Amino acid sequence: MTTLTKGKMWLFAVGQFGWALLSGLVGSWLVYFYQPDASSVSAGQIPLIPQGRVVFGVLTIIGLITAFGRIFDAVTDPLFASFSDKCRAKEGRRIPFLRWSAIPFAVVTVLVFCAPFKQESAANAVWLFIMVSLYYLCITAYCTPYTALYSELGHTEKERMDTSTAISLTFIAGTAVAYTAPALWGVFEPSVGRIPAMRLAFTILACIAVVCLFFPVLFIKEKEYVDVQPVQSSAFESFKTTFKNNEFRIFVGSDILYWIGLTMFQTGLPFFITVLMGLGENMFTPMFIGMTAMSLVFYVPINYVTRRFGKKKMVMSAFILFMIVFSFTAVTGKALGIPPLVQGMLVVIAGSLPMAIFGILPQAMVADVAEYDAKRTGESRQGMFFAVRTFCFKLGQSISMLLFTSLATIGAGTGKGYRMVALISAVLCLSGGIILSFFNEKKITDAIKKD
């Protein structure tokens, strides 16, 4: 099999930039667009779906829609993983899925923000429900085969780490570009109004993303790098067999708590900046780009230190750092006695290191477990390993959206709900680190090196 060159590795990683950009648009701006706070409403952003806790007096419409979308996404992950693992196309098991899902993925991402009626309407909520479901179907169709192919392109632990680092960099870059949306819609807002300006910004960014999604399709010839037989077992059997791996179960238990906490925190970031810290909306872009730039500084040191101390210890340290950052965010504001801009800078600087660690190492840990399992069982089920991971953390993300959208309405105007969100995120990170301490990394790495 051909060894993946650095150039080809980066061409493959551009695909991650594309789907991270689209994912960042929905993940960062969906709640902000459909559940605007007072400052956004005063700027001309009209609520388009029913607001407040209208379901059983506890749940919000946007929370239910996003939670269902995550659950639907989680359920389809193993199905697409099985389809991909069993695919017998001439191009390979993964590339055909990337080719046919790229354009629908970008189009549906824009349509998520294009509810047809210009005022608050139940019909807009129905539109959003349908589009969010289609969005998650498309992201699964692209990302599940993509992540499986990443695992297969690397033939050694070092190659997998290098590729993981590359796609982590492009993931962060894509997410950072998604955070530039306010700066972009700010250019158009004076001439077309706030909501049309936001939609125009999302459309421009989606066009950039779809070009990037095609890079792996155009430049990676899968058959040159991967020579495995398609899996014969059914989706259910493959799913069940994957979960029999004890170390993988421990990893997933830790990972799901991380994603609940991180998703709550990321969804709340625009509100933390404006409501808790008292900074303007124009600070979104420089703060997120600043965090991204800072995290990039740590990429080379992380790879060096990981070779000495191992992935497990590094990820556990990142859990602790995120816990500190989230706890600090919970107490930000005037009462802290620190200038708001300084508070924001502290969050940016302190959050950049764990952001870099989690960007590189967890997916490399999954790839190692999948490689270890393939050597032990004789079946190459990389697609299912990554799908099971995403199945579990997306279930967690659906819970996080329900929690965030409900908690955010507590003490409206006081920021109390946002503080609770940050504090709960910190507790979840601490719990995730404790669970990961039981992961037996040595058994896996020793077996791979021995083989």
Side-chain angles (χ1 to χ4, degrees):
M1 286 288 95
T2 304
T3 300
L4 193 69
T5 65
K6 293 289 185 181
K8 290 287 187 178
M9 180 183 70
W10 284 105
L11 289 171
F12 173 75
V14 172
Q16 180 100 346
F17 177 94
W19 77 256
L21 175 50
L22 295 176
S23 175
L25 292 178
V26 173
S28 302
W29 304 115
L30 179 64
V31 175
Y32 192 77
F33 185 84
Y34 283 104
Q35 189 173 295
D37 59 12
S39 62
S40 297
V41 173
S42 64
Q45 188 172 328
I46 302 170
L48 297 175
I49 64 173
Q51 302 292 296
R53 289 173 284 175
V54 298
V55 183
F56 309 122
V58 177
L59 305 175
T60 63
I61 294 294
I62 185 67
L64 282 173
I65 291 173
T66 53
F68 174 82
R70 291 289 185 183
I71 293 171
F72 177 69
D73 186 21
V75 170
T76 56
D77 270 324
L79 293 177
F80 274 96
S82 180
F83 297 154
S84 179
D85 282 343
K86 296 164 72 173
C87 180
R88 296 179 179 275
K90 292 181 179 180
E91 293 176 281
R93 297 194 297 175
R94 319 299 183 186
I95 291 296
F97 288 88
L98 308 189
R99 179 189 302 280
W100 295 110
S101 62
I103 292 177
F105 184 12
V107 171
V108 171
T109 300
V110 175
L111 291 178
V112 164
F113 298 96
C114 294
F117 299 100
K118 296 181 179 180
Q119 65 281 332
E120 185 176 311
S121 167
N124 282 340
V126 173
W127 169 276
L128 181 61
F129 174 81
I130 295 171
M131 290 303 127
V132 165
S133 300
L134 290 174
Y135 162 81
Y136 282 117
L137 182 67
C138 291
I139 195 173
T140 297
Y142 189 93
C143 296
T144 298
Y146 181 90
T147 51
L149 183 56
Y150 139 71
S151 177
E152 293 168 333
L153 290 175
H155 301 146
T156 66
E157 184 180 2
K158 183 181 184 304
E159 289 178 6
R160 288 190 292 273
M161 272 292 294
D162 288 344
T163 309
S164 180
T165 301
I167 64 176
S168 176
L169 283 166
T170 52
F171 177 84
I172 290 177
T175 304
V177 172
Y179 282 128
T180 66
L184 191 55
W185 77 57
V187 174
F188 304 113
E189 190 172 345
S191 56
V192 300
R194 184 173 177 86
I195 290 180
M198 295 175 82
R199 289 170 173 164
L200 183 56
F202 296 147
T203 301
I204 292 171
L205 293 174
C207 289
I208 296 171
V210 76
V211 173
C212 297
L213 292 177
F214 275 102
F215 267 62
V217 176
L218 297 174
F219 298 109
I220 301 296
K221 296 190 181 301
E222 182 181 340
K223 289 285 190 176
E224 293 182 4
Y225 304 96
V226 182
D227 182 22
V228 296
Q229 292 299 315
V231 172
Q232 302 297 321
S233 56
S234 67
F236 178 75
E237 286 297 323
S238 183
F239 183 92
K240 187 171 65 174
T241 303
T242 299
F243 249 120
K244 288 182 179 178
N245 189 301
N246 183 62
E247 305 314 314
F248 185 63
R249 290 199 303 270
I250 293 172
F251 172 85
V252 165
S254 169
D255 202 46
I256 195 171
L257 293 179
Y258 161 71
W259 282 103
I260 296 175
L262 182 68
T263 302
M264 289 176 62
F265 190 81
Q266 285 183 330
T267 306
L269 268 174
F271 303 102
F272 300 152
I273 293 171
T274 57
V275 178
L276 299 188
M277 299 179 193
L279 295 169
E281 188 182 75
N282 62 335
M283 290 303 298
F284 293 164
T285 299
M287 284 187 65
F288 290 126
I289 290 179
M291 183 178 289
T292 301
M294 283 291 298
S295 68
L296 298 181
V297 173
F298 295 113
Y299 268 61
V300 173
I302 285 172
N303 276 271
Y304 174 77
V305 176
T306 299
R307 286 196 292 270
R308 182 172 180 180
F309 294 102
K311 302 180 185 73
K312 172 183 169 180
K313 290 181 180 179
M314 293 293 290
V315 174
M316 288 179 65
S317 68
F319 269 121
I320 295 172
L321 289 171
F322 261 147
M323 181 194 70
I324 295 171
V325 173
F326 296 168
S327 299
F328 174 77
T329 303
V331 299
T332 53
K334 293 182 180 179
L336 200 59
I338 302 174
L341 185 58
V342 175
Q343 294 180 36
M345 291 176 63
L346 288 174
V347 170
V348 166
I349 295 170
S352 58
L353 176 56
M355 179 181 178
I357 292 173
F358 274 108
I360 300 172
L361 299 184
Q363 58 197 1
M365 293 173 73
V366 176
D368 287 345
V369 173
E371 179 72 12
Y372 165 77
D373 192 80
K375 295 180 184 302
R376 186 173 60 88
T377 65
E379 270 201 323
S380 181
R381 291 177 288 107
Q382 282 88 347
M384 188 57 72
F385 268 97
F386 281 95
V388 170
R389 183 209 176 188
T390 54
F391 171 82
C392 293
F393 82 62
K394 286 172 184 176
L395 285 178
Q397 287 179 321
S398 67
I399 296 171
S400 73
M401 295 306 294
L402 285 173
L403 287 173
F404 176 83
T405 53
S406 298
L407 289 171
T409 62
I410 297 175
T414 66
K416 181 179 179 181
Y418 299 133
R419 297 187 191 280
M420 292 177 64
V421 167
L423 188 59
I424 291 172
S425 298
V427 173
L428 289 167
C429 278
L430 175 62
S431 303
I434 292 172
I435 292 175
L436 189 64
S437 66
F438 295 97
F439 181 81
N440 192 343
E441 182 181 25
K442 187 175 187 300
K443 179 178 72 175
I444 293 170
T445 54
D446 285 352
I448 293 175
K449 289 177 180 177
K450 181 180 179 181
D451 185 81

